[in-house]
Amino acid sequence: MKACHSATVPTAVSVRGPGRADGVWGNGPLLASLGVVAFSLSFPGTVFALGGFGPWTATRLRGAIAAALAGTALLRARPPVPARHEWVGITVVALGCALRFPLLTTLALQTTSASHSAVVIGALPMATAVISTLRTGNRPSWALWCVAAT
């Protein structure tokens, strides 16, 4: 008879380099704010790119810039290589984030304004929170819902 092994809970892995602040606040809010600012510029940047490039080229350029930034961050942080069983999920997310989302938003920005698109995309964090809650059964705090609604 096989012994039943209890599930192991993964421990937190710090991807910070030596000498960096660890802890709840650390650089997280600053980096999150920079991410929001950078993302807010992606639609106007895409509209600008569409002035000189087609949607496929604009998507490739957007992906190349994102890959360069992500590669630099990975080289700097040196996180552990994901486990083999995680690669399918990573691939699905990468295809959605690196190909489908940029291509579909680029195609949409050919017929609508960047400000209109940003308003629609602004609902994405709330939709993500709702779907995650429904799928996982987790119940986030009211503070999260208030911030997401804001």
Side-chain angles (χ1 to χ4, degrees):
M1 193 173 207
K2 246 181 167 180
C4 182
H5 296 286
S6 64
T8 58
V9 177
T11 58
V13 177
S14 175
V15 293
R16 300 175 193 274
R20 297 235 174 126
D22 280 327
V24 175
W25 294 105
N27 290 330
L30 172 65
L31 294 174
S33 298
L34 289 173
V36 168
V37 169
F39 184 73
S40 72
L41 298 173
S42 68
F43 284 175
T46 301
V47 170
F48 179 75
L50 285 171
F53 300 106
W56 288 95
T57 304
T59 300
R60 282 200 279 306
L61 290 172
R62 187 174 173 176
I65 292 168
L69 291 172
T72 301
L74 287 172
L75 286 174
R76 183 165 160 77
R78 299 188 187 276
V81 175
R84 185 180 202 117
H85 69 275
E86 296 172 323
W87 282 101
V88 171
I90 290 171
T91 302
V92 169
V93 170
L95 287 173
C97 292
L99 180 63
R100 292 182 188 116
F101 181 80
L103 176 61
L104 294 175
T105 56
T106 301
L107 292 172
L109 286 168
Q110 290 183 303
T111 59
T112 190
S113 69
S115 59
H116 182 262
S117 298
V119 169
V120 173
I121 292 299
L124 191 58
M126 182 61 87
T128 302
V130 169
I131 291 170
S132 173
T133 298
L134 294 173
R135 284 200 63 191
T136 65
N138 290 338
R139 299 292 175 232
S141 69
W142 282 106
L144 178 123
W145 293 115
C146 291
V147 169
T150 302

